[in-house]
Each structure stands twice: as structure tokens, then as C-alpha cells.
Amino acid sequence: MYINLRRLIIDSRLKSRISANKLLMIKRKKYKTGRSSRLGGPAGYDRKLVVKEGQTLASGSCKKGVSVNRESKRKLSSVLRKGIRGRKKRKMEKIDKVDEIVEPVDRISDLPEPIIHHILSLLHCPKDVTRTTVWSKKWRSVCASFFTFDFDQKKIQTSGRKHPKKFITFVDNSLATKLEPMHNIQKFKISLSQASIRLILPMNNWINAAINKDVKELDVHMEENSLSKHYLLPNTVLTSKNLTSLKLYGCKFDSNIIINLSNLKELSIKNAYVNTDLINNFIQGCPLVEDLRLIHCKGIGHLHISTLHKLHSVQLQECHGLVSVKIELTSLHKFLYWVKSSWRCNLNLSGCENLKLLSIKDPSLSDKFFQDLIVKFPYLEKIVLRECNRLKRITILSKTLTDLSVIECNKLKDSLIDAPNLSAFEYTGKRMPFFLMDVSGLHEAKLQCRIKKNGPALCRELEQFLEKFVNDGAWKLVVSSNNKVLICENRQIWVLVRYRYLKVKFSKIPVPYLTESTGSENVKKWVPNRYRK
């Protein structure tokens, strides 16, 4: 009696300690054993079917009878269902906690619309623009309002020079199917390789259709050298308030035209006749312009800019008839000035003290004028001198200069460069007048030398300059001559200057190469990626 009572107490304590999960597993095992016995599972047991409580319907002789009543079965199934619900509930609570900790952020949809337009403008294929609509709903709506139209006559096979019907039909059909359902477009570019009378009226219709759709970037390209055959630009173009970029090549303008481009930021005119009055009209009619480019233009005469307070870049490339240039803008950061040898022009940049990039191609540039010019720009970061054949000596003292290029200045004999922050240097010429330059801060140096008449002298100057790089083991040296490219680790490459034309490049950036045994010299050949296995 005492033993049985003690067993009951121990069993009750054990049951209280067993967790709900263990009890559930025990009940599952009991249910499985009972079910297997009913279905005739293990060790010769006969089946029995429970009809009512206490009554069984035998299906054969039974060695070990098992009876399960309906009430216990219902209790067991309810316990199982509760256990399954509990597990599901705990899983959902864990998922909710993870969602609270890591919330997904849709950064693609958060991009501003101008940035999305810029990304879409870099896609050349219209199908790629359409594929971006699957990224988010915002991209779908932005793509619906964005499209770039680019029509090039060279890519369309025309039936003849005087009858370009195929090109006209192609552009008309494209605009009829794509342009009409759109509210506005981002960019419209048309390029013509043949000047034809039949193209004038369709061109006017195409450009006016783009203007009516509030186009932001317009590019008209007419490849014609004769001024008499230039395309006369419609007046509606120069009065559009939605244009932000206007690029004109081979176009002419009405003498009495009114210019009102209040939102224009980029203006590029190439291969056109532009007189002083027309330039002044552009300056007055484009108050927000930031980038001005005049390339191969004729008839400019005097150029004076002082009212465009947001202008930060000016490019004047080989403009015939340019007499004087005077720019008084503190906002100007980039100035490119290229002229030919027979032209004379007075250059005055006295009011541009914040200039950071200066590029000059002027064969008549003297030493004194160059020295007086760069003294006015204390914040210069990049200087490019190209074909300045009158220059014999240059002196540059700057703490902000990081990039220097001297290309084809054939009479340059001496130089004094004191720029502690200089990181990139490029030189092309017949001599090597930079052997006194400090190269400790450089990250890249490119040298191109022509070794013909001054071979021995150039070899000595080049050797003195290259010795500056020997002590620093971080440099990679690339030597190319006569369509051969070598990468030398021992840097003793002045033995290779026997060639007529030599290219030398020092770089701290890793260069791809394959090792090849060449005897005593430690030389490696560069191999393009397409030839590697």
C-alpha cells in the first residue's frame, strides 16, 4: 500500500515537470499505437472496430484486444489541434518580430524624378527604357512621360541623294505611333547627312512637334560645310520655355529673331555663322545658362560676357574672326580656348579668379602672357597646354594644381614646376624639360617622345627624369613602341629608347599582364583581356 502511494506521488511530480511538448509527443505515440492496432499493424494483432462505449465488433480472433472509445479520440484530436495552432502562432510571432526589426526600404522608388530621367537618358535602346517599368510604380509613371527620340539619316538607307523618301517615311511613322500619345518628352535628336530641299518642310514639322510636346533637350545636326545650305532654324525653338539643353550643328538663324530661353542651361553652337548682335541676343535671352560652347563658328568678332552669373563653363574652339574675348564672371570654373596660328585675339579673364580648369591651344601664346595669365587664378586645379609653339619656359607655383598636361609645345626648353599636390602629369614632345620636377606626389605619369634628331640628348634627359621613379617600388612602368607593349619591373627602360617613337607610362594602378621569361631582364608582356584564357 505504501509502495503504491509513493509511486502515485512520484508520478504526479514527474507529470508536473514534463513540459506540454513532451506530453503532446507521448499522446501522439499512444494515438499511433492505438491506430496501428486497429488497422492490424504490428505483431499479429487482429482488428477491432469500436461501435459504442464498451461494445466492440470483432473481425477475427484477437490475441491482445485493444479498445478505444470515441470520447478519448475526440480529446486526443483536440489536443493535437491545439498544439499545431500553438506552433503556428509562435512562428507568426517570430516573423512579426523580424519584420519589426528589418523593414524593407524601396530605394529605387525613392529616387528623384530628375535622377530617373538621367538614368533613362543613358539607355540607348528604347526597349531597355521600357523594361525598367517593372521595377516600381513610380518608374512606370516616369517612363510613361519620358522618351528619347534619335533619328540619324546615316542609319537609314535612302533611295537617293535628292529623294530621301525612306528616311522621311520612317520618321513620320515613328512620330505618329510614339510621339502623339505622349504628354512630354525628354530628348529629341535629328541628324542629317545630306542637305535636300525636300527635307526642309518635314524638318520644320518634326521639330515643331517636339516643341509642342515640351521637349527638354533638342539636338539638331546638319553635316554641311557650305553656309548657304545650312538649315534655317524655326523661330519656335528659340522661344521655348521648356528647353534646358540646345545643341545646334550646321544651322543658321533669322536676323530679326527674338530669343527667350528662360530655362536653358546648356547651349552649344557648332559650324554656324554667329555675329556679335546674335551672340548678345543669346546672352540676354538665356539668363540661366551654365555651359556655353562655340565651336568652328564664324563672324563672332567681340565676345563680352558679364551678366550670366550662373555660367561655369565656356568653350571657344577655332572660331574664325574672333577679335577679342572678355569674361568677367566669378562663377566661371572651366575655360577652354583653342585658336589657329594665323589668328590673333585679345584674351582678358581678369574677373574670373575662381577658375579651376584652363585649357589653351594657341601657337602665338608667349611666355610673358602665360605667366601673367595664370597668376590671376589662385585656385587652378588643371592646366592643359596644347601646341603652344612660342612657349620656351613655363613657371607654375601652385598648391592647388593636381593635373598638368603639356602636349606638342615643341620649343619648350625649360620649366619650373612647384606643385606639391600634383597627382597626374602628361607630356608629349621632342625634348624632356621636366627633369627638375618633383614627382613624389604623382600617381600617374604619361610620356610620349619622338626620338629622331635629338636622340642622344633626349636619352640623357629622359634617363634623369626616370631615375626619380626608381626608388619608389609602388610604380608600374608601361613602355610601348612600334605597336609593342612591355611592363618592366626593374624600371631600367632607357635601353629601349633606340626606337623612333616611345611611350612611357608610370602608374600606381595595377596593370594586367602575363609573365614571360626574357633572359636576364625582368620584363612582362601585357596581354589584352580578349586573348586570355
Side-chain angles (χ1 to χ4, degrees), residues 47 61 97 99 193 231 280 398 420 429 431 439 468 483 488:
R47 303 178 193 176
S61 61
K97 289 180 180 179
D99 291 340
S193 58
Y231 172 67
N280 293 332
S398 175
R431 301 292 300 270
V439 299
K468 297 176 179 293
N483 298 325
C488 303

Side-chain angles (χ1 to χ4, degrees), residues 152-338:
D152 192 350
Q153 192 178 11
K154 291 182 179 179
K155 299 179 181 179
I156 306 299
Q157 296 180 357
T158 56
S159 58
R161 181 176 176 83
K162 296 183 179 180
H163 305 284
K165 294 181 180 179
K166 198 170 185 179
F167 179 71
I168 296 174
T169 304
F170 172 75
V171 178
D172 286 338
N173 293 337
S174 299
L175 296 181
T177 55
K178 297 179 181 179
L179 184 62
E180 289 185 2
M182 302 181 71
H183 298 287
N184 49 40
I185 58 177
Q186 178 70 18
K187 184 177 181 179
F188 186 87
K189 181 180 179 180
I190 182 112
S191 301
L192 299 182
S193 58
Q194 299 174 356
S196 175
I197 299 176
R198 292 199 173 190
L199 284 170
I200 295 176
L201 183 58
M203 277 280 291
N204 293 337
N205 295 333
W206 300 334
I207 293 175
N208 288 329
I211 294 296
N212 292 333
K213 293 295 181 178
D214 297 336
V215 63
K216 294 183 179 180
E217 301 177 21
L218 180 62
D219 191 345
V220 181
H221 191 98
M222 174 70 75
E223 293 186 7
E224 187 60 51
N225 294 325
S226 177
L227 291 174
S228 61
K229 295 183 179 180
H230 281 184
Y231 172 67
L232 181 62
L233 198 69
N235 296 338
T236 55
V237 174
L238 301 179
T239 56
S240 175
K241 295 182 179 180
N242 296 305
L243 276 178
T244 59
S245 175
L246 180 61
K247 298 179 181 179
L248 306 175
Y249 183 98
C251 298
K252 56 184 178 181
F253 310 92
D254 192 357
S255 58
N256 298 323
I257 194 170
I258 298 174
I259 300 174
N260 185 12
L261 300 170
S262 56
N263 291 318
L264 193 70
K265 295 182 179 180
E266 182 180 5
L267 176 62
S268 177
I269 303 175
K270 186 175 181 180
N271 193 21
Y273 181 81
V274 184
N275 55 24
T276 306
D277 295 335
L278 185 61
I279 285 293
N280 293 332
N281 290 338
F282 270 108
I283 293 173
Q284 294 177 2
C286 309
L288 301 180
V289 68
E290 299 175 358
D291 189 352
L292 176 62
R293 302 179 186 181
L294 300 175
I295 305 170
H296 298 162
C297 293
K298 298 181 180 180
I300 295 179
H302 300 274
L303 178 63
H304 183 203
I305 305 175
S306 60
T307 58
L308 301 177
H309 299 292
K310 291 194 174 182
L311 187 66
H312 63 76
S313 176
V314 174
Q315 296 187 29
L316 303 174
Q317 297 186 25
E318 298 183 1
C319 294
H320 184 70
L322 191 61
V323 178
S324 66
V325 176
K326 185 178 181 180
I327 301 177
E328 299 174 336
L329 293 173
T330 56
S331 61
L332 192 67
H333 291 166
K334 178 181 178 181
F335 181 72
L336 188 144
Y337 175 74
W338 288 11

